[in-house]
Amino acid sequence: MSKPWILLCPSSRGIGHALTRHLLRTTTLPILATTRARDPEETKAALLKDLFPNPQPQQSSPPTDSSSAAAAANATGPGVAHSSKISDSSSSDIYPYPSPPEFSSNSSGTTSADSSSSSSSSSSPTPSSAAAAASRLHLFPLDVLHEDSIHSCAQRASALFPPDTHHLHLAFALPGILHPEKSAQQVDYDLALDTYKVNCLGPLMLMKHFGSFLPRQRTEMDPPKGLPKHATWINMSARVGSVSDNKSGGWYSYRSSKAAVNSLTKSFDYQLLSRSGGKAICVGYHPGTVKTDLSRGFWESSVKSGRKFWEKPEEAVERMAGVVAALEEEQRGRIWDWKGEEILP
């Protein structure tokens, strides 16, 4: 049976950061997350910091025998010791729960994905959950502006999750930048080019190098609890990428870049239909306006407009995960918003 894993790119801040933390708390799958930060461990520390802020209270009475003492040490010692090493530093980059499976370390000290299990129970998190989450989280450097960086990350993913025994079950392609223009005269060539490189070529290159990790028709899968029964590739779209919904103009580079993402989503889904049948789909997702650095210049206007505005990215990604988990195969190749409603091209 093929073992599932999750990809998030990028995960340093904003929606990607909040989504990575959400999936660490609510799934038991290994996660490959990416960052542009020079030190991936710095980003990993930020992702794991206070991941489980309200652990279960400890027993105040001492254990009555040596076996109980050993059990207590195993239950609390490793988790507390590991989490205490997590620093307060944050990345400088630009964006009842199941109990985690057991993980083992190889001789180099790195976690082997082969030792993970996709089975889970419905028990609440324990203090050792932080240590298990740290074992499941793999932080690799990746810059969507450089294809060699994407290729290198994909090679590391192949070593960590061999395709003959693993498959990519959930992939979030989230790169995005915004340079708003009110008129064509305001478009800066270099800034627009950067927008297209990040917003369009970024997801496309991720599809190129990571798409082969998605399951094929012959792949034997046991759907993880709480996730779609089929593998799902999610591209970050936006309502402004809809040509039919364009009622105000402006935002030339961003609008057109997201329209391109919608087109890429449809084309990639057709490729998956041929390659994977019903075992893998591709969709686009519009989260609404979320209070992140990308939307910083529009927080006040978003509130005044009456449009959906997520004050907390954590709430936005919880909704996002719920919409994605509920997707059926017949909804493939289309763009969906935070309400689970389709956005027409």
Side-chain angles (χ1 to χ4, degrees):
M1 193 67 65
S2 180
K3 300 176 182 179
W5 57 281
I6 298 173
L7 169 69
L8 290 111
C9 176
S11 62
S12 303
R13 62 191 208 181
I15 290 178
H17 181 89
L19 184 58
T20 303
R21 286 171 58 84
H22 176 81
L23 293 173
L24 281 171
R25 285 192 297 263
T26 60
T27 77
T28 61
L29 303 188
I31 295 175
L32 191 162
T34 74
T35 177
R36 289 177 60 212
R38 293 181 179 179
D39 182 7
E41 289 303 313
E42 185 181 13
T43 302
K44 184 172 183 177
L47 287 166
L48 294 171
K49 180 177 171 59
D50 298 329
L51 189 62
F52 299 104
N54 298 308
Q56 297 296 310
Q58 300 299 303
Q59 294 290 338
S60 57
S61 57
T64 56
D65 55 48
S66 58
S67 61
S68 297
N74 290 333
T76 60
V80 173
H82 189 102
S83 62
S84 65
K85 297 179 182 178
I86 298 174
S87 69
D88 292 334
S89 61
S90 60
S91 171
S92 59
D93 192 17
I94 294 300
Y95 39 86
Y97 293 123
S99 59
E102 293 301 320
F103 286 80
S104 61
S105 298
N106 57 29
S107 58
S108 65
T110 58
T111 300
S112 169
D114 287 335
S115 63
S116 65
S117 169
S118 61
S119 62
S120 63
S121 66
S122 58
S123 60
S124 298
T126 66
S128 61
S129 296
S135 298
R136 290 193 294 124
L137 178 60
H138 308 274
L139 241 296
F140 293 158
L142 187 152
D143 187 341
V144 295
L145 292 176
H146 300 283
E147 187 178 3
D148 58 345
S149 168
I150 303 173
H151 175 68
S152 176
C153 186
Q155 286 185 314
R156 296 181 68 178
S158 183
L160 187 64
F161 307 114
D164 58 338
T165 55
H166 294 72
H167 72 274
L168 177 57
H169 197 83
L170 205 56
F172 293 90
L174 308 173
I177 58 174
L178 167 62
H179 297 294
E181 314 98 350
K182 293 183 179 179
S183 67
Q185 289 70 32
Q186 293 181 349
V187 176
D188 179 277
Y189 183 91
D190 291 331
L191 293 181
L193 186 59
D194 285 344
T195 298
Y196 295 134
K197 284 182 176 180
V198 174
N199 295 7
C200 308
L201 283 176
L204 180 56
M205 291 299 101
L206 290 174
M207 294 176 202
K208 174 182 176 179
H209 291 281
F210 284 91
S212 60
F213 292 107
L214 292 164
R216 293 182 175 273
Q217 294 190 42
R218 64 176 181 270
T219 303
E220 296 184 8
M221 299 164 52
D222 185 13
K225 294 180 180 179
L227 295 178
K229 60 180 180 293
H230 42 68
T232 308
W233 184 287
I234 302 96
N235 288 323
M236 184 60 75
S237 182
R239 190 175 298 277
V240 296
S242 168
V243 176
S244 62
D245 192 62
N246 186 350
K247 299 179 175 63
S248 60
W251 290 31
Y252 283 81
S253 59
Y254 189 75
R255 277 188 188 275
S256 53
S257 72
K258 290 303 183 179
V261 168
N262 295 348
S263 179
L264 293 172
T265 297
K266 188 68 173 180
S267 293
F268 189 51
D269 185 68
Y270 275 127
Q271 178 180 332
L272 292 180
L273 181 62
S274 174
R275 175 186 181 276
S276 307
K279 293 189 175 179
I281 70 172
C282 179
V283 298
Y285 182 80
H286 166 60
T289 303
V290 185
K291 193 173 185 179
T292 64
D293 284 345
L294 183 138
S295 64
R296 181 178 295 275
F298 309 97
W299 293 351
E300 185 176 349
S301 61
S302 295
V303 173
K304 291 181 178 179
S305 70
R307 297 189 301 268
K308 181 60 182 177
F309 180 67
W310 299 97
E311 286 278 355
K312 298 180 179 180
E314 294 77 12
E315 296 176 350
V317 301
E318 182 177 2
R319 178 62 64 88
M320 182 180 187
V323 171
V324 170
L327 288 173
E328 299 291 343
E329 183 188 345
E330 57 267 23
Q331 294 175 282
R332 63 187 308 154
R334 293 182 277 173
I335 314 302
W336 303 95
D337 70 5
W338 58 274
K339 294 180 288 186
E341 297 178 354
E342 183 179 6
I343 298 177
L344 297 176

